[in-house]
Amino acid sequence: MTGSDRRTILKALVATLAGLSVGGLDASAASASAASASAASAASESWTTQTLGAFADTLIPGERRSPGDMVIAGAVTGPGAVQAGVVTLLHSPELPVAPLLPAIAALLDARAVAYAALRLIWLSPSRPPFVGLSFADRTALVGGLFDPDDLDRPIWQVMSLLVGLAFDTAGQQDTVEALAQGHPGLTWLRFPEPDADGLWRFPDFSYGRPLAALHPNTTASGSPA
Amino acid sequence: MTAQTTDVLVIGSGFGGAIPAYYLAAAGARVTVLERGPRAAAADFAHSMRLGTYNKIVDVVQGDGVSVVAGNCVGGGSVVYFAASLRAPSFVFERHGGLGRRLWPAALTRAALDPWYDRVEEALPVTRTDWSDVSYAGGVLAAACRRAGHTCNPVPVAVDTGTCTNCNWMLSGCRFDAKRSLLLNYLPAAEAHGAEIRPLHEVQTVTPSPLPGSRYAVGYTVLDPDDYSCTAQAGVIHAKVVVLAAGAVGTPVILQRSALLLGGVPAAVGRYFSGNGDRVSVADVVEDKARSLLGLSHPDGSAYEGLPVGRPITAASYDHLDPAAPEYSRFTLQQIYFPPLTNLLPQAAGSPAWFGVEKRNMRARWRSWLTLLAMTEDDNEGTFGTVPLTGGFTRLAPGLGLGTMTYRPTSRTRGAWGRADTALREILEKDGLSRVRPWSENVADTVTAHPLGSARIGDDPATSALTDSHELRGHSGLFVTDGAAVPTSLTVNPSLTIAALAERAVATIATRAADAGVVLRRDIPLPGR
Ligand SMILES: Cc1cc2nc3c(=O)[nH]c(=O)nc-3n(C[C@H](O)[C@H](O)[C@H](O)COP(=O)(O)OP(=O)(O)OC[C@H]3O[C@@H](n4cnc5c(N)ncnc54)[C@H](O)[C@@H]3O)c2cc1C
């Protein structure tokens, strides 16, 4: 994919986002325009899901779901963003990104092809290019997406935020429910449990004793003078 | 159809909007408040991080080089904020910044603002806290400060500490009505005097009014409660006086969009934007060291592991606020908690810094993180670019927008951040107590919850959009009273200063309303008195 192709995708993405945000486009039109602009109309749902899953696994790695799992690179044992439900979150009805996912995945795959070509890495045509990269290569590629002068950086910034929301907050679910079901991310953080009514209270919250001298110039209300 | 009219139209219902709305309504003016966000109250504030809850009332607006977090609801930032209520130190009012001369209006000093601070502290009210109010996290900061030869103070808060359950869900709005947000004081008091608050009304433009007796016409759109990017209807309200208080990210954009119709706005509109010098770091605390070096433990036997426990802000060190020290070297170090939606941002050991295997390992120690905020002296280097189609930014999703601000920290700002980082390390890395990990700029650039200065007060028309009475230069009866008016970063959390300035601005707003024929009572008491 050439530089100008990439710029076309970006433009379509930005236009689609802007259109959606002012209600100017309906979702299917947005999806169609983004997909055709990206020349990714042939990319099936599962290629998109695989590519985005692999992106999420690069940010917050987890263990393979099965021995043949290619999406998850298997860099660690225990849960990562995929186990934490990132795919469900990306399709959340609260977010208007779902129609854009094929184009975003195509953009990442285009980067993977360019990355592989420069380094003479052979990519199997049977899976998405990004999924074909090793964990080390995925890590190097993703790091580069955040270079301050990278054109697509805002897209990856938003996407990483969403990956974090899936793992660190179980954003696709009510928190009480997520904890009750043992959400892998919240469990990993050891997020505290609520009271029986589903609300948090911490009667024990303080060491309860003076731990430092106060600043000599403190006003009556406790502010700096 | 008859035109909609009001005496005083207030845009935005945060600190800058709620305070004039109350005083003008109590004085007898017809007051209308247009607020972009929805209206919610205690029962609506869920303890949940599910998308569709908190992101309905708080926005992250991503600009170029800076991301801003801000309230989007009736009550504005006060509903989602952490209620740390501090007066700005005296030296702040004497700052020169990059310009080399005093930036605040001559009429304003800390002493001149103190009576207005007094009023706000009484109205909210603000509680002076003690060590028994300081969370485990605040306690670790305090004990580390002492060990490093520093002082540390419990932070005053606009919270009823008797009702507070220390749940740590303040960003979602206070479920227990312990936080003294504007929903509990100025706003209901304004409504009791007849002010009308219209939620989900997003102002687009302010233009001269063709209607006799009105000065300005304010154009708005009504937002769909389920999808803020959809518009149901539009309208115009004519007013004698307009108070712009859409926050430091909202206000300059409305003025820029209106510039041509208003016959021009001051050049300083949309310039000199500051993130209050905010700089966030995570200290990855070694539990054993918290016990052995600081002598800390809690009833369950652990030494710290207290990140999610308590109120988000409980302790701060004022030791680096020396009035005699040079500019860009002074800052407050404060303990703070952010919900795990910011977990992506801290850097881990090794490479890559903010994602990958090491970062995931660091997350496993999440309960032992201590999050810290340095508020430094920045350079007001932000600017606002091309005006978006509608609103203050292009909304991508509920809670997420693309803003038009650009922020390129100058070497002075970076120097100030560096000095705060160094001080933090000296305190928190001493003898291996923790490793300090600043937030990476890769994902969200500089992040601030304290936007300021995009239409600031001052004496010099070239560098300030407003007179010292908060009136837009060249536009009688058009005021800006929100964080946009604050001329410099404050080295402390800004809400109390924004509120005190709004209190002070009320007198001139009332004078302009009276000039336009509105009959007003004088000597209005504090809300609820
Ligand atoms: C998570 C968080 C924690 C914080 N903690 C603290 C703290 O502990 N202490 C402290 O001092 N400060 C804190 N702050 C900052 C504080 O909340 C802000 O400084 C303060 O609220 C700013 O007041 P304001 O009046 O300038 O604007 P806001 O309070 O932001 O109010 C502006 C209002 O205008 C509305 N608006 C915007 N555009 C439009 C439009 N076009 N039409 C109509 N309405 C519009 C917005 O929805 C909003 O309600 C925190 C902020 C956040 C986000």
Side-chain angles (χ1 to χ4, degrees):
Chain A
M1 191 171 280
T2 68
S4 72
D5 285 341
R6 280 190 38 252
R7 231 156 274 141
T8 313
I9 297 176
L10 236 193
K11 271 200 211 136
L13 267 172
V14 172
T16 312
L17 284 171
L20 281 174
S21 71
V22 297
L25 287 173
D26 70 46
S28 58
S31 152
S33 75
S36 66
S38 70
S41 49
S44 69
E45 179 68 16
S46 74
W47 271 51
T48 295
T49 302
Q50 287 179 49
T51 303
L52 297 176
F55 173 75
D57 182 66
T58 310
L59 296 187
I60 309 178
E63 71 183 24
R64 290 206 162 98
R65 293 157 294 185
S66 62
D69 197 344
M70 295 299 296
V71 169
I72 295 185
V76 297
T77 53
V82 173
Q83 282 87 354
V86 69
V87 172
T88 314
L89 180 119
L90 290 173
H91 289 96
S92 158
E94 292 293 332
L95 298 170
V97 293
L100 304 173
L101 296 176
I104 294 172
L107 192 58
L108 187 59
D109 281 326
R111 299 292 289 250
V113 169
Y115 179 95
L118 276 175
R119 289 161 186 81
L120 302 175
I121 298 170
W122 183 81
L123 292 171
S124 162
S126 66
R127 51 180 166 264
F130 185 78
V131 174
L133 293 176
S134 69
F135 186 72
D137 286 323
R138 292 180 189 184
T139 301
L141 192 164
V142 167
L145 300 177
F146 292 86
D147 286 345
D149 49 0
D150 194 289
L151 274 179
D152 313 334
R153 186 171 177 244
I155 295 170
W156 308 118
Q157 289 178 320
V158 173
M159 290 302 287
S160 354
L161 196 72
L162 298 176
V163 171
L165 290 182
F167 188 85
D168 295 316
T169 73
Q172 63 278 22
Q173 253 181 311
D174 184 60
T175 308
V176 174
E177 193 183 291
L179 278 168
Q181 293 169 6
H183 179 269
L186 295 183
T187 306
W188 188 256
L189 301 181
R190 292 194 296 129
F191 196 89
E193 297 286 338
D195 287 351
D197 63 356
L199 298 175
W200 275 256
R201 295 172 189 82
F202 292 108
D204 289 326
F205 65 94
S206 175
Y207 295 109
R209 60 189 163 94
L211 290 165
L214 302 188
H215 194 277
N217 280 327
T218 301
T219 66
S221 66
S223 275
Chain B
M1 204 176 93
T2 51
Q4 301 183 75
T5 62
T6 191
D7 292 333
V8 179
L9 190 126
V10 178
I11 304 167
S13 58
F15 291 93
I19 291 173
Y22 163 66
Y23 284 103
L24 274 296
R30 289 182 302 148
V31 173
T32 306
V33 182
L34 299 183
E35 164 57 50
R36 175 188 63 195
R39 183 162 194 152
D44 307 312
F45 299 138
H47 283 186
S48 180
M49 297 182 285
R50 188 175 62 76
L51 292 172
T53 54
Y54 66 92
N55 62 322
K56 290 266 182 182
I57 56 171
V58 59
D59 282 330
V60 176
V61 185
Q62 192 162 357
D64 175 6
V66 65
S67 296
V68 173
V69 192
N72 174 47
C73 53
V74 173
S78 81
V79 174
V80 300
Y81 85 147
F82 299 163
S85 299
L86 296 168
R87 300 186 184 205
S90 305
F91 70 77
V92 161
F93 299 86
E94 310 304 322
R95 285 194 57 192
H96 286 200
L99 285 178
R101 63 193 137 74
R102 200 169 179 275
L103 288 169
W104 286 71
L108 265 163
T109 59
R110 165 69 182 268
L113 203 55
D114 270 334
W116 305 106
Y117 276 130
D118 288 344
R119 291 183 68 90
V120 181
E121 285 175 355
E122 205 185 324
L124 290 174
V126 173
T127 307
R128 175 169 190 162
T129 59
D130 204 347
W131 292 104
S132 56
D133 301 303
V134 171
S135 69
Y136 290 126
V140 171
L141 174 64
C145 280
R146 178 168 66 183
R147 198 163 177 277
H150 286 288
T151 69
C152 190
N153 284 36
V155 171
V157 285
V159 171
D160 175 353
T161 50
T163 312
C164 175
T165 66
N166 290 287
C167 71
N168 224 347
W169 286 87
M170 273 172 126
L171 177 79
S172 301
C174 184
R175 175 70 186 219
F176 304 104
D177 266 348
K179 177 161 67 183
R180 310 279 88 191
S181 81
L182 298 166
L183 293 171
L184 301 177
N185 35 65
Y186 289 96
L187 289 174
E191 285 179 306
H193 288 283
E196 189 195 352
I197 301 175
R198 299 200 202 171
L200 296 166
H201 280 56
E202 182 173 63
V203 169
Q204 308 299 344
T205 50
V206 179
T207 60
S209 170
L211 220 63
S214 294
R215 276 208 193 86
Y216 296 101
V218 174
Y220 62 84
T221 49
V222 183
L223 306 181
D224 181 311
D226 296 319
D227 181 355
Y228 301 154
S229 54
C230 287
T231 295
Q233 62 192 83
V236 174
I237 301 182
H238 302 263
K240 296 180 164 67
V241 171
V242 169
V243 179
L244 250 168
V249 173
T251 286
V253 180
I254 295 170
L255 286 174
Q256 285 174 320
R257 187 180 292 117
S258 310
L260 271 179
L261 297 156
L262 282 171
V265 296
V269 167
R271 295 184 62 200
Y272 309 114
F273 172 73
S274 158
N276 201 36
D278 284 7
R279 172 92 174 155
V280 185
S281 305
V282 167
D284 190 355
V285 176
V286 180
E287 288 290 330
D288 286 351
K289 298 273 185 175
R291 189 187 311 279
S292 62
L293 298 177
L294 305 181
L296 297 177
S297 66
H298 33 107
D300 72 6
S302 46
Y304 169 45
E305 292 201 341
L307 178 75
V309 177
R311 270 192 300 279
I313 297 176
T314 61
S317 178
Y318 305 155
D319 272 1
H320 301 90
L321 296 175
D322 177 4
E327 214 166 329
Y328 303 102
S329 73
R330 298 166 294 195
F331 47 85
T332 295
L333 295 179
Q334 191 171 73
Q335 165 264 326
I336 192 166
Y337 167 80
F338 292 99
L341 52 110
T342 62
N343 281 6
L344 210 62
L345 303 174
Q347 303 181 40
S351 173
W354 62 271
F355 67 94
V357 175
E358 263 316 304
K359 180 59 182 291
R360 177 175 171 278
N361 293 342
M362 187 177 151
R363 279 181 168 95
R365 299 188 297 273
W366 179 71
R367 276 178 169 247
S368 298
W369 294 6
L370 173 63
T371 316
L372 298 137
L373 170 64
M375 288 166 284
T376 68
E377 296 176 280
D378 78 353
D379 234 352
N380 287 75
E381 54 266 73
T383 54
F384 282 74
T386 319
V387 180
L389 234 49
T390 59
F393 51 82
T394 302
R395 193 172 279 287
L396 303 178
L400 185 64
L402 272 184
T404 62
M405 48 305 171
T406 300
Y407 189 82
R408 298 271 175 271
T410 63
S411 56
R412 284 185 293 262
T413 296
R414 289 212 175 268
W417 290 345
R419 280 183 273 280
D421 286 354
T422 303
L424 204 58
R425 290 207 148 98
E426 281 167 8
I427 293 168
L428 287 164
E429 294 191 339
K430 196 172 162 59
D431 300 318
L433 172 64
S434 74
R435 289 294 303 274
V436 173
R437 310 254 158 234
W439 273 6
S440 165
E441 292 177 37
N442 277 325
V443 198
D445 298 300
T446 300
V447 181
T448 180
H450 302 146
L452 299 171
S454 50
R456 57 189 187 175
I457 50 171
D459 292 332
D460 173 10
T463 58
S464 61
L466 315 175
T467 66
D468 81 340
S469 321
H470 294 249
E471 202 163 23
L472 189 70
R473 294 180 185 284
H475 301 275
S476 180
L478 180 50
F479 293 86
V480 174
T481 51
D482 55 23
V486 177
T488 64
S489 65
L490 299 171
T491 67
V492 295
N493 321 66
S495 63
L496 204 68
T497 302
I498 296 170
L501 288 170
E503 281 269 356
R504 177 179 169 275
V506 163
T508 315
I509 300 170
T511 303
R512 285 295 176 274
D515 291 349
V518 184
V519 180
L520 296 176
R521 277 189 298 279
R522 298 204 164 270
D523 300 325
I524 309 302
L526 289 171
R529 302 302 139 99

